[in-house]
Amino acid sequence: MLRIDFYHLQKSSLDEALPKLLEKAYESEKKIKIKVGNDLRVEFLNTFLWTFDEESFLPHGTKKDGFSAMQPIFISSDDETPNGATVLVLLEGADIELEKALQFERVLCVFDAHNDNEIQKARQMWKSF
């Protein structure tokens, strides 16, 4: 059964909250797909996840990195899920249709309290789900 959680970031930034969410999901040995709004953000997140903490390690990659099917955490701006992820993390207004969301066990919709566009997209997704 699909579980959908909405994370309304009011006190912390995405840069603070995302690594914690990913670490928790990764520790549960679930494969993860991160979907963002565009390819520039894919590259930003790819770099950020390698450098956010010297003492932490979150193995991840993008289509450009190759070996997409083997990535524990796969980042993209489309609905492709080559790594067979069971956890989907939607960031920065990225969305998904309910039919496609059903392939996952869990969907985490993370949105910024200070971004009206992200709030509206999260509300739309809440209503459609």
Side-chain angles (χ1 to χ4, degrees):
M1 178 175 207
L2 174 62
R3 175 180 168 178
I4 303 168
D5 295 303
F6 289 81
Y7 290 87
H8 190 175
L9 301 179
Q10 295 177 312
K11 295 181 181 177
S12 62
S13 69
L14 181 63
D15 293 354
E16 295 167 333
L18 182 61
K20 293 174 187 173
L21 288 172
L22 293 176
E23 286 172 341
K24 198 169 193 178
Y26 180 69
E27 287 171 3
S28 71
E29 299 183 7
K30 304 281 185 185
K31 286 199 171 187
I32 303 158
K33 158 71 185 277
I34 300 173
K35 183 179 177 186
V36 294
N38 61 60
D39 290 335
L40 289 175
R41 295 304 291 169
V42 170
E43 290 307 313
F44 172 82
L45 275 177
N46 191 25
T47 301
F48 171 73
L49 290 177
W50 287 125
T51 60
F52 77 94
D53 183 349
E54 291 178 4
E55 297 179 20
S56 184
F57 177 68
L58 286 170
H60 65 279
T62 68
K63 195 181 300 186
K64 282 185 180 179
D65 297 324
F67 308 102
S68 298
M70 297 173 61
Q71 299 293 346
I73 301 172
F74 182 73
I75 309 165
S76 77
S77 61
D78 58 33
D79 290 333
E80 179 184 12
T81 309
N83 66 342
T86 57
V87 176
L88 173 65
V89 180
L90 300 171
L91 301 177
E92 302 170 340
D95 60 5
I96 192 164
E97 296 172 11
L98 179 58
E99 183 178 299
K100 291 180 181 178
L102 292 172
Q103 77 183 25
F104 298 95
E105 294 174 9
R106 189 161 181 205
V107 175
L108 311 175
C109 178
V110 183
F111 60 101
D112 183 350
H114 308 291
N115 185 313
D116 291 336
N117 184 47
E118 289 184 29
I119 292 170
Q120 292 297 8
K121 286 198 171 193
R123 285 181 180 156
Q124 289 171 347
M125 196 176 329
W126 174 270
K127 288 176 185 177
S128 71
F129 285 174

